[in-house]
Amino acid sequence: MSRCRWQGQTVGDFIECGNSQDMLHNGRLPVLFCATECPYRQNADYLSDSARLAAATSQPYRPAPRSCGTCGTVKRRTSATQFVWPYWHAGASGDEIRWSIRSVEQHYEGKALCTIVGDRPPWWRGHVIDCPRIGPTANRGFRDMLHKMHVIATHSEIQSEFVWMMDDVYLVKPVSLDELQQPRAYGWREDVSNSWQKRKSNTMRLLREAGHSNHDYATHLPHHAEKSKLADLFERFQLRSNTLLWEVLYGNVHRSRPIRPEPFFCRLLAPVSLPELRQRARLASVLNHVATGWNEPLRQYLSELLPTPATGETEDSGFRPEFRRVGRPQRKPVKRRHPSTWKCNQPQPVE
């Protein structure tokens, strides 16, 4: 029987009811009527519920444990999470990857295994899967990245699940595995202003033809991925020959509906001063910058935030990074012979 807000004392076969105004009775009702036919019986005991609420709120606050987001069970990871950086040393503006690795070891809420796929930096003695840059070919930069991603998807030293990183991505606050697994993307609009946007448009077109969504996952955020699903994308979309954006494919095929990256993510599109950098990154947990954004104030900010060397980092006293100007490479000038030496300008013999 559901509880009654007005239920009073029982007197014989009757109950003293306090709801005489609505029920229009003299204050007493038969017990049988009250238990089975009363239209004003409530489903909650308000006084008891209020007492329980007061007792619960008087206790110190304890946050609920984070869950995996699907089945509601608490995620308990005892094994290390592998963070993977595809890396080409000659293409780096400085030592960004040093601070990226430090940020993971300091701010990831769990055990982290850091792996570089590509070139070994001279100061790094940690885990490296050697993968030299591919030879000269069309779309070399895109093809080299996809080549390294195929190595990640098939190599025995990569765990079944991993977190993909870039050397210019930093965790600047404590970040959990749940937060890294949360899908984050932007809305996408057609843009063919450069080769990167053209490849993104081609990727979106193939996704639409396959019946998938068109969320823009090319956010420069860390991406949690599974090897088997990544390897499947290489087969389904022929990524060994098509230069598509793997993170856009993976997000729209294998992830649920995303949320916006901000304020969890902060991206610097130009060099900034140290005070402005601190203000911009105040609410963010992940920081990223464009290639031209790597400067001395940014390095100072990271050195203050991440003073402890990473596990695989070696001592290199006196090391200072070389801030190289990053931009589109210019063609080398071609030396040409003076026109006076051209054969067509030579005097012809008279016959």
Side-chain angles (χ1 to χ4, degrees):
M1 182 178 68
S2 59
R3 295 172 295 183
C4 179
R5 178 178 179 180
W6 304 101
Q7 186 173 352
Q9 296 181 353
T10 302
V11 180
D13 295 332
F14 294 89
I15 290 181
E16 295 182 353
C17 178
N19 193 17
S20 58
Q21 182 176 358
D22 294 331
M23 295 289 292
L24 299 177
H25 57 74
N26 58 3
R28 288 190 177 186
L29 287 173
V31 174
L32 183 61
F33 173 84
C34 184
T36 59
E37 301 181 21
C38 178
Y40 293 94
R41 177 168 295 280
Q42 303 295 319
N43 292 325
D45 186 343
Y46 295 98
L47 296 179
S48 299
D49 290 346
S50 298
R52 284 192 295 272
L53 179 62
T57 54
S58 64
Q59 301 296 324
Y61 170 73
R62 293 182 178 86
R66 290 171 174 171
S67 67
C68 64
T70 54
C71 61
T73 57
V74 177
K75 183 177 292 298
R76 296 181 176 89
R77 286 185 66 96
T78 56
S79 60
T81 301
Q82 190 169 22
F83 289 76
V84 182
W85 286 261
Y87 183 64
W88 174 42
H89 186 64
S93 301
D95 60 340
E96 310 102 300
I97 194 172
R98 175 197 300 268
W99 309 102
S100 183
I101 293 175
R102 283 191 185 187
S103 73
V104 168
E105 290 201 356
Q106 179 170 322
H107 287 138
Y108 175 63
E109 295 182 337
K111 299 178 182 179
L113 170 63
C114 298
T115 299
I116 295 176
V117 177
D119 301 330
R120 180 187 293 275
W123 47 266
W124 177 250
R125 293 298 177 267
H127 187 214
V128 172
I129 297 176
D130 186 54
C131 183
R133 197 180 194 215
I134 63 174
T137 183
N139 307 321
R140 187 179 185 183
F142 297 106
R143 295 253 34 100
D144 183 67
M145 170 57 72
L146 286 174
H147 171 66
K148 288 180 170 61
M149 293 309 302
H150 186 261
V151 171
I152 292 172
T154 57
H155 203 281
S156 60
E157 295 179 15
I158 300 296
Q159 297 176 357
S160 60
E161 298 182 19
F162 63 92
V163 177
W164 175 78
M165 294 284 291
M166 291 185 289
D167 59 352
D168 53 9
V169 174
Y170 318 96
L171 308 184
V172 294
K173 287 186 178 67
V175 175
S176 69
L177 181 63
D178 284 343
E179 291 172 312
L180 294 175
Q181 290 178 323
Q182 171 65 56
R184 304 174 194 273
Y186 295 108
W188 176 77
R189 301 179 65 179
E190 186 79 24
D191 185 0
V192 291
S193 58
N194 54 52
S195 60
W196 171 259
Q197 294 294 344
K198 290 178 181 178
R199 282 170 174 77
K200 188 184 296 185
S201 296
N202 290 336
T203 305
M204 295 296 186
R205 176 180 55 81
L206 292 177
L207 284 168
R208 289 195 302 271
E209 292 175 357
H212 297 290
S213 58
N214 273 186
H215 301 300
D216 188 357
Y217 282 93
T219 57
H220 296 84
L221 272 164
H223 289 282
H224 178 272
E226 299 179 28
K227 282 178 62 178
S228 59
K229 294 179 179 179
L230 180 58
D232 175 67
L233 290 179
F234 273 85
E235 297 298 327
R236 291 176 58 183
F237 294 93
Q238 299 298 311
L239 295 184
R240 303 298 299 275
S241 56
N242 295 332
T243 52
L244 305 175
L245 305 187
W246 78 268
E247 64 269 37
V248 175
L249 291 173
Y250 191 99
N252 285 285
V253 173
H254 294 300
R255 291 194 174 103
S256 58
R257 187 175 181 85
I259 62 175
R260 285 192 61 83
E262 291 81 9
F264 178 78
F265 177 60
C266 175
R267 177 164 167 79
L268 305 176
L269 300 177
V272 296
S273 63
L274 187 57
E276 183 181 357
L277 173 57
R278 289 171 176 161
Q279 177 63 25
R280 294 275 301 275
R282 182 173 55 89
L283 300 178
S285 297
V286 177
L287 177 69
N288 167 252
H289 59 85
V290 295
T292 55
W294 177 251
N295 58 5
E296 185 59 36
L298 177 56
R299 193 178 194 275
Q300 180 181 348
Y301 169 81
L302 294 173
S303 63
E304 294 174 357
L305 181 69
L306 309 164
T308 306
T311 303
E313 191 174 334
T314 60
E315 295 293 335
D316 53 354
S317 58
F319 172 81
R320 298 299 297 168
E322 296 179 0
F323 294 103
R324 297 192 294 272
R325 183 178 180 182
V326 179
R328 185 178 297 277
Q330 302 296 325
R331 293 183 177 180
K332 294 182 179 180
V334 179
K335 294 182 179 180
R336 298 185 181 276
R337 297 169 58 185
H338 193 271
S340 62
T341 65
W342 295 357
K343 186 176 181 179
C344 62
N345 293 336
Q346 298 297 323
Q348 302 297 322
V350 178
E351 296 181 359

